[in-house]
Amino acid sequence: MVSRGELSGFKFLDNMLRLFSWTQIRGLMALALMCLTLFGCQTTSDSAAVESKRTYDIASLKSATILSRQNLRFFPSSGQDMSRLTGWAITGTPRLEDGTFDMLALSSGGPDGAFGVGVLNGLSAAGKRPVYEVVTGISTGALIAPFAFIGPKYDYLLKSLYTGKQIEGLIGAPNYFRALAGGALYQPDNLQDLIQTQITRDLMSEIGRLNSQGRRLYVATANLDADELTVWDMTKIASLGDEASLQLFRQIIEAAISIPGAFAPVRIASMSPSGPIEELHGDGAVLANFYVDPDMVPDDAVAKANIEVIIHNQLKPKPEAQKASLVPLLKKSVTSLSRSSMILLLRQAWREAEVRNIPFKYANLPPQWPSVSALDIDRGYMNKTYELGYGLALDGAVWNSVEP
C-alpha cells in the first residue's frame, strides 16, 4: 500500500528547503542567530498549555469520530480491509459507466499541478479520458481531485485555477519574523478565500451524488501530531449535505495543501472515547507523494481495471553543476532522497498492481523541465507546464507503461 512514512523527515526538510533561495536562507540564518542572542531559548506558558490540551495516543486517534461518525476517514498504516472501507463489500462493485474500472492518483508538486491539469484536459480533448471510479489526491493533487473526480465538466475551471489571474498573489509575501517567532511563513487568507470560492455547495452536491453511485474521492493529509497519513472519504463527507460537512470538506482541502512551516496547520476537531481531540493536519506530502492502493479494486473488476498516476515532478532530473558549499549541497542531497522515496513508492505501487494483474501507467515531467519551488507561483511557468501536459496527452504520448 503506497502510503509509507519512513522518509517523512527527509521529505519535510526537502519541502522546507525548496521554499527559499540561497539569499533568503542566509537572511533567515542571520535572523535566527539574532533572535537566539536576544531572547535565548524561551517558550511561553500559553503554548505549553495548548499542547497539553491536545495530547492523545494512537488508539484514541484511530477510534475517534468526526462529525459523530467513524467512517469518514481511515489510516493506511492500519492495513484495513479495502472492500469494507470503500463500502463495496456491501453495495457491490460500482456501475462501470464506460465498461472499465479506473483509478487515478494525483501527486504533490505545488505549481507543477498545472501539468496534471493539462494532462486531464488533453485526455478530454482527445476523447481518451475514462470515468474514474476512484480519484485520490495529495497536496496540489488534493486541490485538483474534486474537480477531476466529477469529470470534464470542470476542465475549464481547473485550467483557470492553475493558469488564470486568480493564481497570482495566492501565496502572498513571506513574513520571516513571524516564522521565527513560531508562526507560519505565509498567511492563509488568500488560500482560504480561494477554497471558499471554489468548494461550493453545488460542488458538494455533485460529489455526494457520485457517492451514491459507488464512486469514491479520497484526499490525504498528514496528522502532524501522530505522523500518520490520514485518508479522508470526501464522497461520504459530501453526501452528508449540511453546513458542518461543507466546512470539514474545506478544512481538509486547506490542510492538504498547507506545507508545514509555510502555512499554519489546520485544526480538525474529533471526539475520542476519552474526550475531545484537536488534531493538527497539514500537507500529506510530508508522508507520501501520492496515495494509491491496488487492493481497492474489487475482485470482480480486476479484469476491467486500470490504475493511472500523475506525478507532478521529475523522476530523473537533468544533471547540472552544483556549488560546493553547505546549503546548496544539503538541499540537493535532501531533494535527491525525496525523489528516491517517490520512485520507491511508485515502484511499490507498480508491483502491487502487477500481483493483481492490473495495468498500471504513470505520467511525469520530463528530465529537461525546470525544477521550481513548491511555492513558486509563477503564472507564465504554470501556463507552459499546462501546455506541456495538454500536448502530451492530446498526442497520446503522456503515459509511461514500463516499471519505473
Side-chain angles (χ1 to χ4, degrees):
M1 184 156 34
V2 182
S3 55
R4 312 298 193 253
E6 288 87 348
L7 295 177
S8 59
F10 290 117
K11 290 175 65 57
F12 170 73
L13 182 56
D14 175 47
N15 280 335
M16 293 307 299
L17 286 171
R18 291 182 66 197
L19 302 183
F20 309 111
S21 67
W22 171 224
T23 301
Q24 290 170 325
I25 289 172
R26 286 189 296 183
L28 281 172
M29 292 171 68
L31 282 171
L33 288 172
M34 179 182 71
C35 291
L36 287 172
T37 302
L38 291 175
F39 306 114
C41 299
Q42 298 176 350
T43 58
T44 67
S45 58
D46 287 345
S47 64
V50 170
E51 289 303 313
S52 66
K53 292 178 181 178
R54 293 189 47 262
T55 301
Y56 55 88
D57 57 26
I58 294 295
S60 296
L61 172 66
K62 294 187 176 180
S63 60
T65 59
I66 307 286
L67 302 183
S68 302
R69 293 170 172 82
Q70 274 194 317
N71 64 348
L72 301 184
R73 64 176 178 180
F74 62 91
F75 304 93
S77 65
S78 298
Q80 291 125 313
D81 179 358
M82 287 292 106
S83 64
R84 183 183 63 82
L85 288 175
T86 58
W88 297 329
I90 298 172
T91 62
T93 302
R95 178 170 55 88
L96 307 181
E97 293 184 26
D98 54 4
T100 57
F101 185 100
D102 298 283
M103 185 183 300
L104 172 68
L106 298 159
S107 85
S108 60
D112 285 321
F115 173 72
V117 172
V119 169
L120 290 169
N121 287 14
L123 291 173
S124 296
K128 297 179 180 177
R129 181 167 165 180
V131 175
Y132 293 108
E133 277 66 38
V134 178
V135 174
T136 73
I138 283 184
S139 196
T140 196
L143 184 58
I144 300 169
F147 308 101
F149 178 65
I150 293 175
K153 173 182 177 179
Y154 282 101
D155 283 358
Y156 77 96
L157 187 148
L158 278 176
K159 180 181 179 181
S160 173
L161 189 61
Y162 276 81
T163 65
K165 290 183 178 179
Q166 62 185 324
I167 203 70
E168 296 175 332
L170 179 63
I171 301 301
N175 187 322
Y176 302 117
F177 286 99
R178 181 175 61 233
L180 288 170
L185 189 62
Y186 296 90
Q187 287 285 72
D189 300 13
N190 294 343
L191 198 61
Q192 291 171 346
D193 288 344
L194 177 71
I195 292 170
Q196 291 275 337
T197 302
Q198 302 300 337
I199 305 299
T200 64
R201 289 186 177 278
D202 288 343
L203 180 76
M204 289 274 289
S205 295
E206 291 189 77
I207 293 172
R209 178 177 56 81
L210 294 177
N211 177 67
S212 66
Q213 295 179 10
R215 292 170 60 190
R216 298 290 180 259
L217 168 65
Y218 297 109
V219 164
T221 62
N223 181 307
L224 301 174
D225 301 309
D227 198 31
E228 281 277 342
L229 192 70
T230 306
V231 179
W232 300 86
D233 190 332
M234 306 300 275
T235 32
K236 283 183 183 175
I237 294 170
S239 70
L240 299 178
D242 56 15
E243 184 64 25
S245 61
L246 174 61
Q247 293 309 313
L248 176 61
F249 197 107
R250 289 170 171 169
Q251 279 187 301
I252 293 166
I253 297 297
E254 181 187 351
I257 55 180
S258 293
I259 298 173
F263 291 99
V266 175
R267 298 170 184 267
I268 296 179
S270 62
M271 179 64 71
S272 75
S274 58
I277 293 175
E278 187 180 63
E279 305 173 19
L280 289 189
H281 285 263
D283 189 341
V286 302
L287 297 174
N289 291 96
F290 62 91
Y291 174 76
V292 66
D293 188 348
D295 284 342
M296 278 188 183
V297 179
D299 290 340
D300 60 353
V302 166
K304 303 173 183 178
N306 299 284
I307 295 176
E308 299 172 357
V309 181
I310 298 179
I311 301 292
H312 302 116
N313 212 319
Q314 302 154 308
L315 295 181
K316 296 180 181 179
K318 179 178 66 176
E320 55 186 6
Q322 300 295 312
K323 292 183 179 180
S325 54
L326 175 62
V327 173
L329 288 178
L330 178 62
K331 179 179 177 180
K332 174 69 174 179
S333 299
V334 174
T335 300
S336 297
L337 281 170
S338 176
R339 183 173 286 109
S340 296
S341 71
M342 177 175 61
I343 294 171
L344 288 173
L345 290 174
L346 190 60
R347 193 169 292 156
Q348 182 178 351
W350 173 284
R351 291 175 180 173
E352 289 177 355
E354 189 175 44
V355 168
R356 299 199 69 198
N357 293 315
I358 300 173
F360 187 107
K361 54 189 177 182
Y362 59 95
N364 60 276
L365 288 169
Q368 68 272 19
W369 204 250
S371 178
V372 298
S373 160
L375 292 173
D376 186 7
I377 306 299
D378 182 286
R379 189 180 170 196
Y381 170 82
M382 294 175 74
N383 271 271
K384 291 178 182 177
T385 307
Y386 169 87
E387 292 298 336
L388 171 70
Y390 185 90
L392 289 172
L394 193 62
D395 294 341
V398 72
W399 298 116
N400 299 294
S401 55
V402 295
E403 183 173 351

